[in-house]
Amino acid sequence: MSSSHTVLEQSFKLNSFRPGQQQVISALLAGRSALAVFPTGGGKSLCYQLPALMLDGLTLVVSPLIALMKDQVDALQALGIAAARLDSSLSKDEVQAIYDGIYQQQIKLLYVSPERLKNERFVQRLARCKISLLAIDEAHCISEWGHNFRPDYLTLADLAKTLRAERVLALTATATPAVAADICKQFAIAQADHIQTSFARPNLQLRVTPCGAEARIDLLLSCLQKHPRNAATIVYVTLQKTAEEVAAAINAAGLIAVHYHAGLPDDEREQVQNQFMRGEVPIVVATIAFGMGIDKSNIRAVYHFNLPKSIENYVQEIGRAGRDGEPSLCEMFAVADDIRVLENFTYGDTPTAESLRALVQHLLTFDDVFDISTYELSNQFDLRPLVLNTALTYLELRGVISAQSPFYTEYKIHFLRDHTFILAQFDADRAGFLQRLFAAGRMGRKWLSLDMLTVPEQLQESKERISNALDYLAEQGWIELTVANLRQGYKNNKTMHNVDQLAELHHYLEQLFAEREARDIQRIHAVLAFANNPACLSQQLMYYFGEEGAPPCGICNHCRHTQPALMSLPPVLPLTPAQQTLVAGVKREAHVALQQPRQLARFLCGLPSPATSRSRLKSHPAFGALAGVSFSLLIEAAAGA
């Protein structure tokens, strides 16, 4: 068998491992699971890509970022390595070709999103394969102590058992000691196989520059003018509107910049990213939607025009600078007013107690197994999809409901071979089943539609038998199969027997969301403490991630100045008479979407929700009119107005 060094040189065209890589790879090749905590740009991907070529079976890579999956698969294929990705951008033929490659053991690495792993049909297909390694990128999302908790990640520990994955590799750039301990516990990773490399980046000059909100655009322009015109630069902002305004100001100053945020169409975002990667546009002004998975080695500067929402986010974002080892600047404009905006975002994420109660009561009206559309429930109870999925996950963890298989309510079949040919391939029992199945559908000009809410009952057959049969026909190339209208199945475990238990459950949910809110507020204030602490900035970051005893960097502005200017929290001023009048006026309009004080406070802060979006209230002149006001004051005013 080839050694890892031989594979490194022959397959990846590299001469040596980066710190920590060989230790992780050795653990995996020895059959053990591992956690790799490497800084952004520290070479996490090689830790599963190389073992994938040496292990007998498939390496399944779970990543939340489609752009990252595409870039990595393209890079691996360019090296002649058999890798593929499954995401929503692929055609049916492309998906089928990937399945064929997996079954024939021609594909060594398969990249998928965590959401795809909730698809019962996909998991059934995977279960037929030998999964030698399950690699989980952005693994901090598993831990609810992490800064970017994603409910879909909570099921991955169980999934590893379902798929009989021989070993697991969890990877992250932003695990605090508490998060790392949580990940190791969930995947039974030994302490010795938690491998963490230094967060020190000696080529990055960190700066924190306190300033006023009005002064920072001129300060940014002054800084940008000092760089060479083609220096690759990212300017991070909090709001989509700010991204557009700052990019316009940079262009007006004679420099070249584009803006990037989640509100742009997919093709436009891709175009901006490609222009930046190719060096055609030197400056991108972006929200945090930009940069995940960006592997551009020569980014010379990262500016935080607005405060980052956590130390974890900050470390990820500055980690995109200077990956080529050359000196790079990372400057944060510390504007105290940003604290209020970030706090309001966090408060706005917390659901109303009324929405949570209504959701629970709705779910518990179902007698046994039921199914839901998260889109429909999100609108019905005014809960953003992420908040809704988090609430459902908490109910699962409490044992109130159990997730069943997600399923599609509509299957559409296009016959590539006629019925007679297909039926002739089977014995009488199976042919009879297929004949009844085809007869139960509704035939259009091209597609036969099957309603999966009624057909299984009509035929007295399980959904599993129907979906397995249709999958088989599609794999043989006899039909083309498409699916639509995903619904998630759940089972009511009937643990709620009286009013007291129900009240306790409501309190449990409200408490969990309140604790999440408190942790996120704490993270925002950790950024303030970081900016105000006179200690070396690099040293502070390393300590935050559990790395003690690091020497001062000597080049950050805290090392160079004995008394850096301090940023103070803006005072919480009472509402002005005009602001009180505005709150009372909107309340008198009695919009259904703004009935609860928290809903109205969210609206006045400019934080959209399913209800305000559906009601087209985002175009109301009061939407976002009080974005800089304390959220708690607005809730108080909305309750009393």
Side-chain angles (χ1 to χ4, degrees):
M1 183 178 172
S2 301
S3 73
S4 55
H5 267 288
T6 306
V7 177
L8 181 73
E9 292 167 357
Q10 292 181 352
S11 297
F12 293 93
K13 314 300 185 233
L14 298 170
N15 297 322
S16 60
F17 288 108
R18 292 195 206 176
Q21 287 179 329
Q22 191 161 19
Q23 206 178 339
V24 173
I25 290 166
S26 296
L28 296 173
L29 293 178
R32 303 194 305 274
S33 294
L35 166 62
V37 184
F38 293 3
T40 303
K44 291 185 289 295
S45 306
L46 188 79
C47 292
Y48 57 81
Q49 290 172 349
L50 190 148
L53 302 187
M54 301 180 69
L55 296 170
D56 178 26
L58 179 70
T59 290
L60 182 68
V61 184
V62 181
S63 169
L65 308 162
I66 287 179
L68 176 82
M69 288 196 270
K70 183 179 184 307
D71 290 347
Q72 291 207 3
V73 169
D74 289 350
L76 288 167
Q77 289 176 347
L79 290 168
I81 294 169
R85 73 183 202 281
L86 277 173
D87 63 50
S88 54
S89 70
L90 301 181
S91 69
K92 295 288 178 295
D93 288 345
E94 288 171 320
V95 170
Q96 189 56 51
I98 289 169
Y99 283 132
D100 292 343
I102 294 168
Y103 297 148
Q104 292 159 21
Q105 298 185 2
Q106 293 167 345
I107 290 173
K108 292 299 292 178
L109 289 113
L110 178 66
Y111 287 74
V112 299
S113 69
E115 292 80 9
R116 184 169 287 269
L117 293 168
K118 292 179 77 173
N119 182 326
E120 175 194 24
R121 293 170 67 218
F122 176 63
V123 173
Q124 284 173 349
R125 285 177 155 184
L126 272 185
R128 289 152 55 181
C129 306
K130 178 181 180 180
I131 310 291
S132 55
L133 171 60
L134 173 63
I136 301 167
D137 201 12
E138 306 292 329
H140 56 269
C141 299
I142 288 166
S143 172
E144 60 178 322
W145 301 104
H147 70 290
N148 190 21
F149 167 65
R150 289 171 65 114
D152 290 329
Y153 267 72
L154 278 188
T155 59
L156 292 182
D158 286 336
L159 184 81
K161 295 179 188 131
T162 302
L163 295 176
R164 299 187 302 281
E166 294 175 357
R167 52 185 74 67
V168 174
L169 172 60
L171 308 112
T172 176
T174 50
T176 61
V179 171
D182 196 8
I183 295 169
C184 289
K185 180 182 172 187
Q186 291 196 46
F187 291 103
I189 296 168
Q191 184 58 42
D193 294 320
H194 165 195
I195 294 129
Q196 182 159 334
T197 58
S198 176
F199 278 76
R201 293 284 303 281
N203 64 313
L204 300 187
Q205 183 185 5
L206 306 186
R207 283 188 201 160
V208 172
T209 307
C211 63
E214 305 76 22
R216 71 177 144 190
I217 188 65
D218 290 334
L219 185 58
L220 174 67
L221 294 174
S222 169
C223 292
L224 293 174
Q225 298 281 9
K226 294 171 187 169
H227 294 302
R229 289 184 69 84
N230 62 346
T233 302
I234 304 176
V235 180
Y236 280 110
V237 299
T238 300
L239 304 173
Q240 295 180 4
K241 184 174 74 170
T242 310
E244 295 174 14
E245 290 170 352
V246 171
I250 294 170
N251 286 315
L255 299 170
I256 301 169
V258 287
H259 65 267
Y260 182 108
H261 56 66
L264 296 177
D266 289 349
D267 56 346
E268 200 171 326
R269 285 208 307 271
E270 188 175 351
Q271 183 186 356
V272 169
Q273 183 167 318
N274 290 340
Q275 286 176 321
F276 181 68
M277 294 297 286
R278 290 193 298 259
E280 294 165 10
V281 173
I283 303 169
V284 173
V285 184
T287 60
I288 58 171
F290 182 77
M292 298 295 275
I294 291 290
D295 193 8
K296 185 174 172 67
S297 65
N298 64 339
I299 296 173
R300 293 279 69 88
V302 170
Y303 288 96
H304 280 87
F305 187 80
N306 294 116
L307 289 176
K309 66 178 186 177
S310 68
I311 296 291
E312 290 92 334
N313 279 69
Y314 174 68
V315 164
Q316 275 192 330
E317 288 152 18
I318 64 171
R320 290 167 194 139
R323 293 191 182 182
D324 55 7
E326 295 297 314
S328 302
L329 174 69
C330 302
E331 183 161 6
M332 181 199 298
F333 298 143
V335 177
D337 294 350
D338 288 351
I339 296 280
R340 189 75 66 231
V341 176
L342 291 171
E343 285 180 338
N344 287 355
F345 266 110
T346 296
Y347 293 131
D349 274 350
T350 303
T352 66
E354 293 79 7
S355 289
L356 286 175
R357 281 195 210 106
L359 170 69
V360 171
Q361 284 162 358
H362 172 76
L363 296 176
L364 295 182
T365 57
F366 294 103
D367 199 37
D368 188 27
V369 175
F370 60 96
D371 55 84
I372 59 149
S373 155
T374 51
Y375 173 78
E376 290 169 7
L377 286 192
S378 175
N379 282 305
Q380 185 177 347
F381 298 109
D382 195 25
L383 295 165
R384 291 193 309 106
L386 178 63
V387 174
L388 171 64
N389 282 325
T390 303
L392 292 169
T393 303
Y394 283 149
L395 290 173
E396 277 190 80
L397 294 172
R398 187 65 181 259
V400 176
I401 57 176
S402 298
Q404 309 291 293
S405 296
F407 68 97
Y408 293 92
T409 62
E410 185 177 35
Y411 281 24
K412 287 189 168 186
I413 302 166
H414 173 220
F415 289 96
L416 304 175
R417 301 297 300 262
D418 64 44
H419 295 204
T420 313
F421 170 84
I422 293 174
L423 297 177
Q425 310 307 309
F426 300 97
D427 61 32
D429 178 58
R430 288 189 174 89
F433 162 68
L434 288 174
Q435 198 161 19
R436 288 187 298 122
L437 179 60
F438 297 155
R442 191 181 70 255
M443 192 68 208
R445 282 195 307 179
K446 177 181 175 182
W447 297 90
L448 176 74
S449 296
L450 294 168
D451 180 351
M452 293 298 284
L453 292 175
T454 59
V455 167
E457 194 174 339
Q458 183 185 333
L459 299 184
Q460 291 298 294
E461 298 284 0
S462 70
K463 285 199 283 277
E464 288 72 26
R465 186 181 185 192
I466 294 171
S467 65
N468 287 343
L470 294 176
D471 276 343
Y472 180 78
L473 299 184
E475 284 171 21
Q476 299 307 306
W478 300 335
I479 65 170
E480 184 182 344
L481 181 65
T482 65
V483 291
N485 303 330
L486 180 68
R487 294 182 76 86
Q488 173 65 50
Y490 285 99
K491 183 176 189 295
N492 179 357
N493 293 327
K494 300 182 182 174
T495 57
M496 298 290 106
H497 301 296
N498 56 50
V499 174
D500 289 342
Q501 286 176 317
L502 197 58
E504 197 272 328
L505 178 64
H506 293 153
H507 177 71
Y508 161 77
L509 282 178
E510 288 166 34
Q511 188 68 28
L512 284 171
F513 279 104
E515 287 169 5
R516 289 202 60 72
E517 178 180 274
R519 282 198 294 271
D520 286 343
I521 294 294
Q522 201 174 350
R523 285 192 180 92
I524 294 167
H525 286 259
V527 175
L528 177 68
F530 167 74
N532 283 342
N533 188 334
C536 167
L537 296 171
S538 180
Q539 230 179 6
Q540 288 189 62
L541 296 180
M542 287 189 274
Y543 181 78
Y544 187 86
F545 290 105
E547 193 177 337
E548 297 182 23
C553 71
I555 59 170
C556 73
N557 67 330
H558 283 204
C559 282
R560 291 181 169 195
H561 301 292
T562 50
Q563 282 292 319
L566 295 180
M567 173 174 57
S568 55
L569 268 175
V572 178
L573 301 172
L575 295 185
T576 65
Q579 289 170 333
Q580 290 173 335
T581 302
L582 177 66
V583 175
V586 176
K587 190 169 181 181
R588 274 197 305 274
E589 292 172 14
H591 298 284
V592 175
L594 305 179
Q595 287 180 327
Q596 306 303 331
R598 186 174 281 271
Q599 288 177 310
L600 181 53
R602 258 195 316 237
F603 168 80
L604 293 167
C605 283
L607 303 171
S609 72
T612 52
S613 299
R614 196 173 66 250
S615 308
R616 297 191 172 87
L617 283 170
K618 285 171 72 176
S619 58
H620 191 292
F623 179 70
L626 302 181
V629 176
S630 161
F631 197 86
S632 55
L633 279 183
L634 288 177
I635 285 187
E636 197 180 303

